[in-house]
Amino acid sequence: MSKRTRAASLTTFVAASVAFGAVLAGPADATGKDTSASKHTSTNASVKVMKAKATKARAWPKFLSASQLPPHPSSSWTAGKATDGVPDELRFCIQDTLPGYDSRYRDFRTDLETNAQQLTFVVGSSAKAKALATRLNKDIRACATRIEQSDPETEAALKDYGKLSVEEGAHAYGLHTETSWGATDINLYSVGRDGRAVTLVRWAQMGDFSDAPVKAFKKTTTTAVNKLY
């Protein structure tokens, strides 16, 4: 059986702070000194920064939309904004892999307890992305053991749902947790890669392996990886 880990959603914004140094000679004096060159330089710097930020936004991989999550029988999905950082729900299983990577995530909710997250990393090369995906898969496979070691009152079990043939590959898993007082939760995880981008998708609700929409989740994972680039 598995462990139930609940965590409030953490939204971490990494705000870009840009300083412009405009070298001004002061107000025009009696000599009639022209300050237009300085103003032009400052304006060009502003335009370059705005273009760089726009390019970065365009270059970041696309995220799933709410309609692309496994259908819920009684509630529609809503999607949050793509946000810099890592959602709290994913930290426990992959905390050893996180430092040093740029990441963004999107949070998804239903009106009930079913929720999901998509976390995406972009690294410097395809080789680094492959290594990152390998580490994330290793983290997820080890998560049931980590859960039981951290909380003796929780039992955890992992199911490997196999590889998915999409882009540079993906892999899906199920993780069930059950506490000594009867709380039971089912989580589905997947890791996929396309070029320099790696994405991790998590779906979760109360229940056990029999409640997991594995086929639909695999379709969601395939869509998530195809949307990266």
Side-chain angles (χ1 to χ4, degrees):
M1 304 266 98
S2 316
K3 150 183 188 164
R4 176 170 195 258
T5 49
R6 290 183 184 279
S9 176
L10 174 69
T11 305
T12 309
F13 288 93
V14 179
S17 178
V18 181
F20 296 103
V23 182
L24 301 178
D29 55 19
T31 63
K33 187 172 182 178
D34 187 5
T35 63
S36 61
S38 295
K39 292 179 181 178
H40 183 67
T41 300
S42 179
T43 299
N44 282 346
S46 301
V47 170
K48 287 180 180 179
V49 169
M50 290 183 355
K51 285 183 177 180
K53 291 172 75 175
T55 299
K56 181 179 179 182
R58 287 196 299 270
W60 198 270
K62 295 179 180 178
F63 284 84
L64 290 164
S65 63
S67 64
Q68 292 166 332
L69 273 291
H72 191 281
S74 61
S75 175
S76 59
W77 286 93
T78 58
K81 294 182 179 179
T83 305
D84 291 338
V86 178
D88 215 29
E89 291 89 342
L90 291 175
R91 287 183 177 274
F92 183 84
C93 285
I94 65 170
Q95 58 188 343
D96 293 339
T97 299
L98 291 177
Y101 293 102
D102 291 332
S103 62
R104 304 191 82 200
Y105 72 92
R106 193 174 197 186
D107 190 66
F108 303 88
R109 301 282 171 183
T110 66
D111 293 335
L112 303 176
E113 294 206 10
T114 309
N115 63 89
Q117 295 79 35
Q118 182 185 8
L119 172 65
T120 299
F121 301 87
V122 176
V123 296
S125 68
S126 293
K128 290 181 178 180
K130 182 178 180 180
L132 174 58
T134 297
R135 290 182 63 184
L136 289 171
N137 277 290
K138 183 178 178 180
D139 285 344
I140 293 172
R141 288 194 295 268
C143 194
T145 299
R146 182 195 290 266
I147 288 170
E148 292 186 340
Q149 289 175 343
S150 68
D151 184 359
E153 295 192 22
T154 300
E155 294 182 349
L158 182 80
K159 279 190 177 183
D160 188 329
Y161 291 124
K163 296 180 180 180
L164 305 178
S165 180
V166 54
E167 299 299 345
E168 272 78 42
H171 208 118
Y173 307 88
L175 178 64
H176 176 242
T177 61
E178 184 173 1
T179 66
S180 59
W181 57 89
T184 178
D185 290 277
I186 179 65
N187 295 262
L188 297 177
Y189 291 90
S190 62
V191 177
R193 182 173 71 89
D194 183 7
R196 297 185 302 113
V198 178
T199 195
L200 191 162
V201 182
R202 170 185 175 269
W203 171 98
Q205 71 173 30
M206 294 177 65
D208 57 27
F209 286 117
S210 65
D211 301 303
V214 177
K215 184 177 180 180
F217 182 73
K218 286 183 175 182
K219 182 178 179 181
T220 292
T221 297
T222 299
T223 301
V225 177
N226 276 326
K227 290 185 75 170
L228 290 174
Y229 287 122

